[in-house]
Amino acid sequence: MLAALFAVAGVLSWAGARLWDSVGTLPRVPLAAPIVLALIAVVLLATAISLRARLRAQRERRPGAKGVEPLMAARAVVFGQASALVAALVCGMYGGVGVFMLEFLDIPARRDQAYYAGFSVLAGIGVIAAAFFLERVCRLPEDGDDEHGGAAPAA
């Protein structure tokens, strides 16, 4: 789903950039875009590392271990999933604009915009990777029993 969202946003953004540039001046890619995306990736990664340590301490029954409330873990997963969806959309948007800007690399201002768009795509991929890691950390352990619809072991 994220790849499809990225592709659709990229194609629409590329087409929109071509149309907008033919009519007037194309809006600039903000310098803050890759910075904000990188900060979101850092927050997601820090949350995942913190939750992983707390869950490990809780699982090993360490004395004084601070547990993780299920609702907190669920909120973290929702935050990660929402961030991944938005990052896929933003990556596609800046990716499409960046591909359009590749035609104008000889113009210094457009070259800078292409760099900003490329860095935004990379930072967005970092957000998606951190969101996947957070989701993996918060995943419930699988049961070892086959009572709930699993195949019976062969004798």
Side-chain angles (χ1 to χ4, degrees):
M1 172 141 163
L2 294 177
L5 185 61
F6 171 79
V8 168
V11 169
L12 289 175
S13 178
W14 175 79
R18 288 184 60 88
L19 178 65
W20 199 322
D21 192 56
S22 68
V23 173
T25 59
L26 186 65
R28 300 177 54 91
V29 176
L31 176 60
I35 296 168
V36 169
L37 287 169
L39 286 174
I40 292 170
V42 167
V43 167
L44 285 169
L45 187 61
T47 302
I49 290 170
S50 172
L51 285 175
R52 183 178 66 170
R54 289 172 60 185
L55 287 169
R56 182 176 294 149
Q58 185 178 8
R59 191 171 41 247
E60 293 172 358
R61 301 190 194 290
R62 292 184 193 156
K66 187 175 179 185
V68 177
E69 294 180 24
L71 188 57
M72 180 182 156
R75 286 179 180 156
V77 169
V78 169
F79 173 58
Q81 289 175 342
S83 298
L85 284 171
V86 170
L89 183 64
V90 169
C91 279
M93 185 182 74
Y94 286 130
V97 170
V99 168
F100 173 73
M101 294 288 183
L102 290 177
E103 299 174 20
F104 305 104
L105 289 180
D106 53 337
I107 303 169
R110 295 276 176 121
R111 183 176 46 242
D112 291 345
Q113 294 299 301
Y115 288 148
Y116 298 158
F119 290 141
S120 296
V121 170
L122 291 176
I125 291 170
V127 169
I128 293 170
F132 281 164
F133 180 61
L134 177 60
E135 189 174 338
R136 187 178 190 298
V137 165
C138 293
R139 186 177 55 200
L140 292 174
E142 295 185 25
D143 288 336
D145 60 355
D146 290 330
E147 291 179 357
H148 304 291

